[in-house]
Amino acid sequence: MSKKTDKADAFVTEITPRSEDFSRWYLDVVRRAELADYSPVKGCMVIRPYGYAIWELIQEHFDRAFKRTGHVNAYFPLFIPESLLNREAEHVDGFAPQVAYVTHGGGEELEEKLVVRPTSEAIIGTMYAKWVQSWRDLPILINQWANVVRWEKVTRPFLRTTEFLWQEGHTAHETADEAEAETRMILDLYGTLAKEVLAMPVVKGQKSESEKFAGALRTYSIEALMGDGRALQAGTSHNLGQNFAKAFDITFQARDKSVQHVWGTSWGVSTRLIGGVIMTHGDDSGLVLPPVIAPYQVVIVPIGRENWRETVLPRALEIKDELVKAGVRVTLDERDERPGWKFAEWELRGVPLRLEIGPKDIEKSQVLLARRDTREKAGVSMAGLAGHVRGLLDVIQQHLYETAVTFRESHTQRVSSYDEFKQAMEGRPGFVITGWCGSADCEEQIKADTQATIRNMPLDTRPTGQGCVRCHAPAIADAWFAKSY
């Protein structure tokens, strides 16, 4: 195999180089790869079929994992009476700037305004209050796949939009320990899925008080590092304590006959994950998709002269059928375009493997396989081809993860002084680890000075003994700081 690194090998030229303007590059990829388009409603996007196919595959893997852990799916209304949202004051304050209201329906003014859900704790809490009577009714382990609306001022496709798709799990438990175990279990599950499905390494940890979910007792998150050195919050898991249970009167008769409030959790990931995949693995030629979530894992490109439909296409169709039977998602590009043009299009769309077949290949009973991640090419025998392809897709998935880990490690540094910290935060350096005293004042000043925020504090680490990077008071944790999306 030979690895091609020359820019001439990158066929796609209609994309801004990442090094020139990462933000522009991202938007170019979303547009050119036909993942999404802008809609007539400001801040809302249309997810095009190719982008939605990626979301469906993500959804499929996450949904299967939730069900393995005992969760079931349900659906709750899009509209929430304003009075319900107002029951939990801290929650309302946290979402107030982003809430959209419906004031009229059927040509008449509504007696009570309806909130278009920014999240569903209020409506789900109201229903749980009806459903829970006894400890025997617990736990409730419900997830829903839905859309939510948050009136964002600055939007970017997939990363932050006024309306987006997500899953939101909402559970109710008998004890505080059970709720905490649920919260941590989902955090671990998210971390595993990010690795195995998205090939995206993440840092798992607890958010600071100022960064936690409005109304939560504690918030945990998975944080990924994007190709420009900014962090992305890729998923959150919240221990709600009894805050929402008290607001919505979710009580049960306990085993000792006393009446108690349930302990709650909520957790979610969204279509933001697609943006994370783009920015973790993409290059100057476009998307680089992990095989697990690639709508097409293999594209077959027939190559030949004018009569290729008679000489090459029949064998290409046979190979397609073989791969499909082996469980590979494959497409055959029969368009009457030059092979180079087809190569460029499928490279742009991030298809993990390109299979080229021409008259000479048929004579040799082989095909040419080209990897999207490394651009390595190799001739492979048609005998046992399906097994070889499946094995190579696994190799590509693992290689993408390892490459992302290497990038993160090379863009993570530890500092001990504030001058070091500020110097490190110039530009977009990645993660910077340092001691933090737990003070919101220090956290706020650091953000004002550097634009960096605490992404989270990993659960499996303890302070190194150094003081707070800003005030030198004893540190409560080693915090991971970064500039973020």
Side-chain angles (χ1 to χ4, degrees):
M1 277 193 181
S2 63
K3 184 173 180 179
K4 294 188 175 182
T5 57
D6 194 308
K7 178 64 180 175
D9 293 327
F11 296 105
V12 179
T13 58
E14 293 184 45
I15 296 175
T16 303
R18 294 185 349 148
S19 58
E20 181 180 311
D21 186 338
F22 193 88
S23 179
R24 185 71 250 170
W25 166 83
Y26 175 83
L27 294 175
D28 287 348
V29 170
V30 169
R31 175 184 59 85
R32 287 280 290 112
E34 297 184 345
L35 300 178
D37 204 349
Y38 295 102
S39 80
V41 180
K42 185 179 183 298
C44 292
M45 65 175 173
V46 174
I47 304 176
R48 301 186 67 175
Y50 196 64
Y52 197 80
I54 296 171
W55 176 241
E56 285 181 313
L57 288 163
I58 293 173
Q59 184 181 34
E60 175 186 323
H61 286 278
F62 277 66
D63 192 66
R64 189 182 304 132
F66 298 153
K67 288 173 180 172
R68 279 199 302 265
T69 54
H71 299 84
V72 293
N73 287 336
Y75 186 79
F76 297 85
L78 174 66
F79 301 116
I80 303 168
E82 184 183 29
S83 58
L84 291 188
L85 193 68
N86 289 338
R87 283 195 193 176
E88 215 292 315
E90 185 179 352
H91 186 60
V92 172
D93 288 343
F95 279 104
Q98 298 175 313
V99 170
Y101 292 96
V102 176
T103 60
H104 289 72
E108 298 180 359
E109 185 173 354
L110 301 179
E111 290 185 12
E112 180 181 3
K113 288 191 292 186
L114 297 176
V115 172
V116 183
R117 64 174 168 230
T119 181
S120 297
E121 278 76 8
I123 189 68
I124 291 177
T126 300
M127 301 312 298
Y128 283 7
K130 292 175 61 177
W131 298 344
V132 176
Q133 305 296 326
S134 161
W135 62 270
R136 294 180 179 86
D137 299 322
L138 299 171
I140 295 181
L141 307 175
I142 287 180
N143 173 67
Q144 79 162 340
W145 293 92
N147 62 337
V148 291
V149 171
R150 297 179 185 175
W151 218 256
E152 300 282 0
K153 293 181 179 178
V154 179
T155 60
R156 187 175 302 182
F158 294 114
L159 297 179
R160 193 175 295 276
T161 51
T162 300
E163 179 192 15
F164 55 91
L165 305 181
W166 75 349
Q167 59 77 207
E168 49 178 324
H170 295 268
T171 69
H173 301 268
E174 190 177 352
T175 68
D177 287 347
E178 287 179 16
E180 180 66 12
E182 167 81 6
T183 313
R184 297 283 194 97
M185 183 271 289
I186 291 296
L187 181 72
D188 289 340
L189 187 66
Y190 282 164
T192 298
L193 290 168
K195 175 182 179 179
E196 295 180 354
V197 177
L198 310 176
M200 179 190 296
V202 295
V203 178
K204 298 182 296 185
Q206 183 174 341
K207 288 286 194 181
S208 65
E209 283 293 305
S210 65
E211 293 286 332
K212 74 177 183 180
F213 177 67
L217 194 62
R218 285 181 291 277
T219 288
Y220 303 97
S221 71
I222 55 171
E223 304 285 334
L225 192 65
M226 302 295 97
D228 63 344
R230 285 188 179 268
L232 182 78
Q233 180 178 285
T236 50
S237 184
H238 315 289
N239 184 333
L240 303 178
Q242 293 179 311
N243 293 342
F244 286 89
K246 291 176 179 177
F248 297 98
D249 196 27
I250 314 172
T251 60
F252 67 100
Q253 186 179 60
R255 296 169 194 261
D256 63 3
K257 307 302 182 184
S258 64
V259 176
Q260 299 180 14
H261 288 93
V262 302
W263 298 81
T265 81
S266 67
W267 29 273
V269 298
S270 74
T271 37
R272 165 177 275 219
L273 292 178
I274 297 176
V277 167
I278 296 169
M279 294 191 293
T280 298
H281 305 300
D283 61 20
D284 283 353
S285 295
L287 285 174
V288 179
L289 289 175
V292 172
I293 59 165
Y296 302 121
Q297 296 168 315
V298 175
V299 56
I300 300 173
V301 180
I303 298 172
R305 295 189 173 85
E306 291 77 8
N307 65 341
W308 66 271
R309 288 188 177 275
E310 290 74 35
T311 59
V312 177
L313 184 58
R315 187 68 184 101
L317 287 167
E318 291 175 1
I319 290 173
K320 178 184 177 183
D321 289 342
E322 291 172 17
L323 294 176
V324 169
K325 288 177 182 177
V328 178
R329 295 188 295 276
V330 57
T331 186
L332 172 61
D333 194 339
E334 296 185 51
R335 292 175 292 181
D336 289 316
E337 299 284 355
R338 292 177 296 104
W341 185 90
K342 294 180 182 181
F343 295 168
E345 282 298 297
W346 295 111
E347 185 173 278
L348 167 68
R349 290 173 179 262
V351 176
L353 274 177
R354 184 175 72 245
L355 188 157
E356 302 172 22
I357 179 171
K360 292 183 179 179
D361 296 307
I362 294 175
E363 290 176 11
K364 298 177 182 177
S365 293
Q366 70 171 30
V367 298
L368 187 68
L369 290 181
R371 288 173 56 168
R372 175 64 180 87
D373 59 334
T374 62
R375 293 201 175 91
E376 292 172 334
K377 292 185 177 182
V380 176
S381 171
M382 290 182 187
L385 179 61
H388 185 91
V389 165
R390 287 184 63 88
L392 191 51
L393 290 172
D394 290 340
V395 169
I396 293 170
Q397 183 83 17
Q398 182 62 25
H399 178 258
L400 287 175
Y401 178 74
E402 291 171 355
T403 300
V405 169
T406 299
F407 177 84
R408 186 185 69 185
E409 289 176 349
S410 67
H411 289 77
T412 300
Q413 56 186 307
R414 183 181 291 275
V415 301
S416 56
S417 74
Y418 200 39
D419 285 341
E420 270 187 290
F421 184 89
K422 288 189 286 188
Q423 186 175 4
M425 278 299 172
E426 292 179 3
R428 296 176 181 175
F431 288 121
V432 177
I433 309 168
T434 191
W436 174 59
C437 63
S439 161
D441 289 340
C442 278
E443 186 180 9
E444 187 177 341
Q445 191 59 53
I446 289 170
K447 183 177 181 179
D449 291 343
T450 66
Q451 298 182 322
T453 56
I454 295 175
R455 302 319 305 155
N456 64 32
M457 294 161 282
L459 304 174
D460 56 355
T461 60
R462 293 292 180 268
T464 57
Q466 72 177 73
C468 175
V469 70
R470 181 177 176 272
C471 73
H472 310 297
I476 65 163
D478 276 351
W480 287 55
F481 287 84
K483 296 177 181 179
S484 67
Y485 283 96

